[in-house]
Amino acid sequence: MTASLLGKSESSWGLSLAHPVVCIVGPTASGKTDVAQLVAKGLESLHGGCGVVVSADSMQIYRGMDIGTGKIAPEEMVVDHFGLDICDPGQAYSAALFQEYARDVFSTQDNRGNTCVLAGGTGLYVRAAIDDYRFPKGDQVGNPTREKWQAFLDSHGAQELWNELHRVDPESAALIHANNSKRVIRAFEMLELEGTSYARQHAGFATMKQFVPACFFSLEVDPELLYARIDARVDRMFEQGLVDEVCRLIDAGFKSAVTARDAIGYKEVVWALDGQCSLHEAKEAIKQASRRYSKRQRSWWRSDERIVPVDANDGDCERISMWILNYLAHAEHRTA
């Protein structure tokens, strides 16, 4: 697929690349990791050079959080992978930092003649990397607004923090779950530092311009099939040693990080280790939370007209990857 097929000349993009980034999106347990790697390998014969995978997953960036995040094992990699093990659990990281990181990988790999495949379970990370999403500079450290509302959270709890946002910005509060304190604090930052609102930014997603040449494929799985895969995947995580992984992270001093709201699969095991529930109950809670998360992931891309849906019901990653590669080859032939 060439830049002309995407509607612009190569020089019109904010970031010019010889070949567009191939984005593989979809819900958890849909097969993104395996398909992305197979597509990257296949791009070597289509484009020359090498295909590489860039993970756009907000939890796979953390070292030591492997089993619970579904991170590919080093011995299973057949192409180079980026976006994994970037920082320690609990270390400050954001979509803004990922944007900078991913675009640097895109440019570096393109200069080497390679093509990037962006595999995304975190919709905001994918869009931050590809679209013209503007973030304030230097908002990770030394941010008095963030420190103020973090202190408020520590003293009053998540519900009171959300209540305060609802008082000053009800439209934004209506879009954010009360337990998502990280996003609530971000909404306060936008109000106080940028003079805008989370709601206004959210509304702008639909019309946001694209910055990086890219094509999008979404792995589509019927909900009942997907939920069965999620259940099987969680069972495998426990068989592979998820409990031991959580214990190692706690022993390393990362308990607060693995009990964060977004740490599905970790915080539930901590509840069991703390005696709040049984391991069986923790496993069922992980399955339920993962199903809810998959619904949010599907909703994220539902209205994006750039998406090419791919039937992934059979779970045959070889067939799915070949379908995507054939689509790309035919698209390039049509625009040659």
Side-chain angles (χ1 to χ4, degrees):
M1 182 174 292
T2 63
S4 60
L5 183 62
L6 296 168
K8 295 183 180 181
S9 65
E10 183 176 335
S11 61
S12 299
W13 297 100
L15 181 66
S16 295
L17 301 175
H19 296 287
V21 175
V22 179
C23 300
I24 310 292
V25 302
T28 185
S30 61
K32 295 185 300 296
T33 298
D34 291 336
V35 169
Q37 179 164 240
L38 289 170
V39 169
K41 188 66 177 174
L43 286 171
E44 296 177 5
S45 59
L46 186 61
H47 291 161
C50 297
V52 304
V53 173
V54 183
S55 170
D57 187 299
S58 63
M59 299 308 294
Q60 291 188 357
I61 63 171
Y62 294 116
R63 302 183 190 99
M65 298 179 70
D66 304 327
I67 297 172
T69 64
K71 191 183 299 178
I72 187 172
E75 62 271 17
E76 296 174 352
M77 296 178 183
V78 297
V79 299
D80 288 340
H81 282 67
F82 299 87
L84 306 175
D85 302 329
I86 294 175
C87 57
D88 288 331
Q91 186 175 336
Y93 204 82
S94 69
L97 289 175
F98 182 77
Q99 179 185 77
E100 182 179 356
Y101 171 86
R103 291 179 181 177
D104 180 66
V105 174
F106 298 159
S107 295
T108 301
Q109 294 302 315
D110 187 72
N111 288 337
R112 294 174 180 173
N114 301 333
T115 305
C116 291
V117 177
L118 185 66
T122 303
L124 179 59
Y125 274 33
V126 175
R127 294 208 63 177
I130 301 299
D131 293 338
D132 195 16
Y133 200 117
R134 306 296 177 91
F135 295 95
K137 298 295 185 182
D139 67 340
Q140 289 303 305
V141 294
N143 183 332
T145 299
R146 178 172 300 177
E147 293 168 0
K148 177 182 71 174
W149 290 111
Q150 182 63 50
F152 185 97
L153 170 65
D154 295 340
S155 299
H156 298 85
Q159 186 62 52
E160 285 302 314
L161 178 71
W162 184 89
N163 289 344
E164 187 64 17
L165 178 64
H166 187 267
R167 186 181 68 80
V168 298
D169 186 0
E171 290 185 2
S172 295
L175 297 172
I176 306 173
H177 193 283
N179 289 337
N180 194 344
S181 300
K182 183 177 181 179
R183 192 161 295 174
V184 173
I185 291 176
R186 173 66 183 138
F188 278 117
E189 292 178 6
M190 295 179 74
L191 281 173
E192 298 180 16
L193 299 179
E194 302 170 49
T196 187
S197 73
Y198 176 88
R200 191 177 306 159
Q201 183 190 68
H202 190 272
F205 264 129
T207 57
M208 189 175 295
K209 295 180 180 179
Q210 192 170 318
F211 187 84
V212 177
C215 47
F216 294 79
F217 297 91
S218 175
L219 305 190
E220 305 289 328
V221 183
D222 291 341
E224 288 188 7
L225 289 173
L226 183 66
Y227 296 161
R229 291 188 198 174
I230 288 172
D231 290 351
R233 180 179 180 177
V234 174
D235 289 338
R236 285 196 303 273
M237 287 178 176
F238 276 81
E239 293 168 2
Q240 292 167 351
L242 176 60
V243 175
D244 289 339
E245 179 171 278
V246 174
C247 289
R248 287 195 297 272
L249 289 164
I250 293 173
D251 290 343
F254 298 128
K255 183 174 182 178
S256 61
V258 298
T259 54
R261 177 182 179 273
D262 293 338
I264 298 173
Y266 291 90
K267 62 181 183 294
E268 294 86 356
V269 172
V270 173
W271 296 343
L273 294 174
D274 286 346
Q276 300 178 45
C277 65
S278 67
L279 277 176
H280 174 74
E281 290 169 333
K283 183 188 293 186
E284 293 305 308
I286 295 169
K287 292 177 180 178
Q288 185 179 39
S290 298
R291 293 187 205 111
R292 288 197 298 265
Y293 181 51
S294 73
K295 291 180 182 179
R296 296 196 299 273
Q297 289 174 305
R298 293 199 304 273
S299 297
W300 183 275
W301 298 106
R302 191 164 292 152
S303 61
D304 196 316
E305 296 180 353
R306 297 172 294 182
I307 292 291
V308 176
V310 184
D311 181 356
N313 279 329
D314 62 7
D316 186 343
C317 295
E318 291 277 359
R319 178 196 65 78
I320 296 166
S321 62
M322 285 305 302
W323 190 96
I324 293 172
L325 288 165
N326 286 334
Y327 186 101
L328 292 169
H330 289 152
E332 292 190 357
H333 177 74
R334 289 196 301 270
T335 56

